[in-house]
Amino acid sequence: MGLFRLAALRERFRLLFALPELIRTSPQVLKDFFNWRNWPPQKRKHFRWNLLWGLLTALFLHLISLTGIGQEMLNDTYDFLVKSDFRVAVVSGGEEEPISDAIRMIVLDRETYEASPGQGFWTPREILGRTIIKAMELGAKVVVVDFALDRPVPLYYADGAFVEENQRYLSLLREAVRLAKKQRTAIILPWTERRPDPKGYTRQYYELLDQEHEVIKLGSPAVFFNTSDRKVRHFRFYKILADQNRVLLSLPILAALYQWHGLEQGNKILAETEAQLRNGLGDGLLIPSDGMVDAIQLHHQDASQECLPARFKFRIAPREVMKDYGHGEDPLIDIMLTSATLLGGEFDERIYQGRTVLIGSTYKEIRDIHITPMGNMPGVFLIANGLNLFLRDNQIHGHLMLKYLIGAVLIVLSAVVFVHLPLALAALCLTLLFLIPNMGISIWMFSRWGLFLDFWLLIVAIGMFENIVGLGEIVEDWLKTRRENDR
């Protein structure tokens, strides 16, 4: 097949110059081109064989898509589309706002960590607690804290005395709970596996979470990463704790739920959803939205199987990542502040009223950095992008009917073209016909509606079809020659 492919490639370049004449073909010739009833018997026979080869090619590609090679092809297409989408929607500034106005981010950066008493060895508890309270005082509807702080930090010596920052954080968290009850604000924290026989600060921390479950919600921070390149492309819908018979929705889903419905209605929907998930009704279960966008559809997930609706679409990226995608207006200006600015700087305080505030870290040394198709991102950016998917109604999905329709058109058109044109020219024409417009259409549909079309698969199909048809013609000529010799 490889030798045949090289021969076809040489022929393709020779026949490239015949394209202008082909383009000028008269309408009558084009009509005869597709009117198979007027074809000679030999061409009709070739057409039927080509349809068969096309169906076999489609079946083979479907089987390939279930293998590791097919998954890598799918990931390559996806990576190209998310990067193109970021350039079109964010860098170029499309007509529609790419990022939900309900999202706000507050980050503890390098300066915050290294200027704290811990000097970067641990997350500064007091600064974090004050940041949570400040966000709520400014009217946040939901506060998501991307820190798991169930373990105590060491005492430190300052101003002539030892400082116990752990108890200070618990005190601030209790104050935040009182404020949340008053304002009906949801506080969402990441779930971590509990340590056995907790003592001291850890025990008090767990007790606070259990006692204040009305306003403190625990969510799963887990994501899926590809085992070959370690890149994160999928979020996790939910996690079931078998030993505790407990269900944990992901942090972005919880944030969207409470942003849409508020604390009381959100608690009711959450309880119903968890009960249905415990009863095994997870696949296709809907979490209602506010009516402005589609509901979130939950799916059962397996790390070894593809789950298209759980793929990220990256619209929010760190500034060091954005530098690689051209120059445009900084989308983080109105979205992200540092904790130092929030606690002591000047900014428009109205931007937090009724919003979801995500509090996380951009300090690389705490190792909450994930590899993505866009580049390296802190965990809080993954939460932000997952939340943005739901609030902007951009959850990625496929379309089986459209997929099969495109496949059928490709099979019939390829069968016709390979009947009339030499192999090399036929493959070149089909590649140009499908690659250029299909790539643009795929980017547009992915960016606008989250519709995923694997356009690279079409080009692979054309190449395979060319080789199969060519091999079939070689076998047919060999059989014909053998019959003539036998006479």
Side-chain angles (χ1 to χ4, degrees), residues 233-306:
R233 298 180 175 91
H234 299 80
F235 59 85
R236 189 163 191 162
F237 285 108
Y238 59 89
K239 181 180 178 69
I240 297 180
L241 306 179
D243 56 336
Q244 301 179 31
N245 193 29
R246 184 174 182 180
V247 177
L248 296 167
L249 293 180
S250 73
L251 294 175
I253 292 179
L254 280 177
L257 172 63
Y258 285 100
Q259 176 64 39
W260 284 329
H261 300 288
L263 191 61
E264 283 78 11
Q265 185 65 14
N267 284 344
K268 181 180 178 181
I269 295 173
L270 178 61
E272 295 172 352
T273 302
E274 289 177 344
Q276 291 174 306
L277 290 173
R278 281 194 296 270
N279 292 329
L281 303 176
D283 208 26
L285 181 64
L286 296 178
I287 295 182
S289 70
D290 59 356
M292 302 299 292
V293 295
D294 288 342
I296 302 173
Q297 187 174 30
L298 303 183
H299 294 266
H300 173 73
Q301 291 170 283
D302 189 320
S304 63
Q305 297 179 358
E306 173 58 35

Side-chain angles (χ1 to χ4, degrees), residues 4 49-50 53 418 423 464-474:
F4 176 78
W49 274 108
N50 287 352
W53 299 136
F418 277 103
L423 290 175
M464 290 182 58
F465 195 86
E466 176 188 4
N467 284 303
I468 292 174
V469 172
L471 185 61
E473 291 182 0
I474 291 174

